[in-house]
Amino acid sequence: MREITKLQSAVDKAYQNFRHDNSGANADYIPFLAQIDSQLCALSIVTVQGDVITAGDTQYRFALESISKVCTLALALEDYDANTIQEKIGATPTGLPFNSVMALELHGEKPLSPLVNAGAMSAASIIKAQSIEERWQRILAIQQKLGSKDIYLSDELNQSEQTTNFHNRGIAWLLYSAGYLYCDTMEACDVYTRQCSTLVTTVELATMGATIASGGKNPITQEQVLKPDNCTRILAEMTMEGMYDSSGDWAYTVGLPSKSGVGGGILTIIPGVMAIAAFSPPLDTVGNSVRGQKMITSVAKELDYNLYKCI
Ligand code: GLN
């Protein structure tokens, strides 16, 4: 079978098998997310050659949420270097929920991972910028360069998050108290909240992943966005913390670096080959899209991809 036909049939099969799975529930601690149609479902692949394969609601724009942490980490690595980010934020999983205060308390308020809320605010705060607007524009620009120039901030979602993000504000002050925030405290929280409030399609999300999969070169625009070595670091972080506190189970069962968001998106990367992006709003108790996990697991098994496969 031709390669593209094989990819399309794996995507179609996964989409058809799981689009009607009704387990899980939309995130409801962000009012905007609670009212999204739970039946929405989409699955896309973008290869490092720039081939695009899709099924389902692939035109629908959903909230990037935590997957934005990958983009901001990428920019922080470009602005500094891997050792500085490890020292100033951390590079190890917390084993606790993405918004855990206990994880901070246990480690002298060091966030440990740039892929939990605390580490992501720390990463947003370390980006080189003279003003809040410059900080925000640089973070939006990296999302657009990795994914697509059409990615934009939803004012409605941003409002919904900015007026309910009191827990994150608490985390930001704890970080500040221990010296792990590198700009004004509420500036870091505000910009982090905005970076979560952009809207993407699964094709744009898969393009972000394909850019990382190819060592930093966007396969659609051909722009070299990231240094190849930084992509290696990002993939390690995604493996360790990308699926929150079920990252270990995900590595054990699927074995591919991934990042999820409470908007229902999941991005999975097969280094050097392609990225798979899934979207469907209902989440499991950890915060990962239920249909998304099932569809990606199905595609990975069907195409026989697992980073830890020996023969
Ligand atoms: N904006 C959300 C928050 O800060 C993102 C969390 C997520 O997707 N896990 O809680």
Side-chain angles (χ1 to χ4, degrees):
M1 217 192 311
R2 253 185 81 237
E3 191 58 25
I4 301 296
T5 319
K6 204 167 109 190
L7 298 183
Q8 185 70 59
S9 96
V11 163
D12 289 341
K13 183 174 162 190
Y15 172 72
Q16 292 302 343
N17 280 347
F18 298 111
R19 59 187 285 213
H20 295 305
D21 187 302
N22 273 328
S23 26
N26 285 31
D28 59 5
Y29 74 100
I30 298 169
F32 180 94
L33 298 179
Q35 45 87 33
I36 304 290
D37 179 358
S38 303
Q39 293 308 317
L40 286 163
C41 187
L43 185 61
S44 298
I45 284 177
V46 174
T47 69
V48 295
Q49 287 82 27
D51 302 306
V52 178
I53 293 102
T54 65
D57 302 305
T58 47
Q59 304 295 315
Y60 185 82
R61 294 192 162 274
F62 57 96
L64 187 59
E65 295 298 340
S66 257
I67 309 170
S68 67
K69 292 166 178 163
V70 172
C71 306
T72 303
L73 166 61
L75 185 56
L77 285 165
E78 294 294 313
D79 273 3
Y80 298 87
D81 57 77
N83 291 345
T84 306
I85 297 305
Q86 185 174 25
E87 181 199 319
K88 291 191 174 291
I89 301 171
T92 212
T94 68
L96 288 163
F98 61 83
N99 57 1
S100 174
V101 171
M102 199 192 301
L104 285 175
E105 292 292 289
L106 289 172
H107 303 102
E109 320 295 355
K110 185 167 181 177
L112 299 191
S113 168
L115 300 187
V116 295
N117 289 13
M121 283 190 271
S122 192
S125 78
I126 211 168
I127 298 304
K128 291 180 178 161
Q130 301 299 325
S131 66
I132 182 166
E133 261 334 288
E134 189 189 355
R135 186 175 309 284
W136 162 239
Q137 288 304 331
R138 289 199 67 216
I139 287 175
L140 177 62
I142 193 75
Q143 292 187 8
Q144 292 172 332
K145 282 183 188 179
L146 290 168
S148 141
K149 60 177 178 21
D150 296 334
I151 295 172
Y152 68 94
L153 178 74
S154 160
D155 290 333
E156 195 189 343
L157 171 57
N158 187 40
Q159 264 310 101
S160 183
E161 297 216 26
Q162 298 280 4
T163 51
T164 52
N165 65 353
F166 306 112
H167 188 89
N168 284 340
R169 294 191 211 186
I171 290 174
W173 282 115
L174 287 174
L175 291 170
Y176 171 77
S177 75
Y180 288 110
L181 270 193
Y182 306 100
C183 74
D184 175 79
T185 312
M186 285 303 104
E187 175 176 333
C189 188
D190 182 323
V191 170
Y192 161 75
T193 304
R194 290 191 222 182
Q195 75 176 42
C196 293
S197 302
T198 57
L199 301 183
V200 298
T201 65
T202 48
V203 174
E204 290 167 349
L205 186 57
T207 305
M208 282 182 181
T211 302
I212 297 168
S214 72
K217 185 174 177 182
N218 183 316
I220 308 291
T221 64
Q222 303 299 321
E223 184 184 356
Q224 187 72 40
V225 184
L226 305 174
K227 295 186 194 83
D229 182 56
N230 288 345
C231 297
T232 306
R233 311 295 182 146
I234 293 166
L235 291 172
E237 295 288 354
M238 289 173 73
T239 300
M240 291 187 287
E241 187 62 73
M243 300 295 276
Y244 311 126
D245 32 333
S246 64
S247 299
D249 289 313
W250 184 256
Y252 189 78
T253 53
V254 181
L256 292 170
S258 302
K259 182 74 201 85
S260 65
V262 292
I266 302 180
L267 172 62
T268 292
I269 296 177
I270 300 152
V273 182
M274 65 187 197
I276 314 167
F279 159 66
S280 200
L283 310 177
D284 64 13
T285 51
V286 172
N288 297 320
S289 167
V290 176
R291 290 189 197 116
Q293 290 177 87
K294 290 182 179 170
M295 292 192 295
I296 288 174
T297 303
S298 165
V299 171
K301 296 256 183 294
E302 186 82 16
L303 300 174
D304 202 23
Y305 286 122
N306 180 326
L307 222 53
Y308 308 112
K309 193 172 134 69
C310 303
I311 45 172

